[in-house]
Amino acid sequence: MDKQLLSMLVCPLCKGKLKYDAEAAELLCTFDGLAFPVRDGVPVMLEGEARRMSEEEKLDKAQKNTAAE
């Protein structure tokens, strides 16, 4: 995922920052608990296409992001 594109993208619901999970090819919004798919390098920023993250997954991703900052 292009870093410049990633820096411009925000969650369509809360307008918060997204984190890219390259392994899962998803853009994550830990605030809303949504994982937006990236298909063929193109982010699909539709709520209906997003996967709901489990509570455990949200906490795990948020903790990893905090530790990385």
Side-chain angles (χ1 to χ4, degrees), residues 2-10:
D2 180 60
K3 290 183 187 237
Q4 187 175 8
L5 174 62
L6 183 57
S7 71
M8 290 186 275
L9 291 174
V10 295

Side-chain angles (χ1 to χ4, degrees), residues 12-13 16 26 30 34 57 64 66 68:
L13 300 177
E26 295 177 324
T30 54
L34 295 174
E57 188 179 12
K64 284 182 183 176
T66 304

Side-chain angles (χ1 to χ4, degrees), residues 11-61:
C11 175
L13 300 177
C14 72
K15 309 300 184 234
K17 290 180 76 173
L18 297 169
K19 299 292 182 186
Y20 180 55
D21 182 347
E23 195 172 291
E26 295 177 324
L27 290 170
L28 309 174
C29 175
T30 54
F31 182 78
D32 290 320
L34 295 174
F36 298 93
V38 177
R39 297 186 186 129
D40 297 322
V42 178
V44 181
M45 305 301 292
L46 301 170
E47 184 180 4
E49 292 288 321
R51 174 180 67 79
R52 290 246 172 240
M53 297 166 57
S54 69
E55 290 300 316
E56 269 185 22
E57 188 179 12
K58 285 193 295 188
L59 288 173
D60 182 52
K61 299 289 183 186

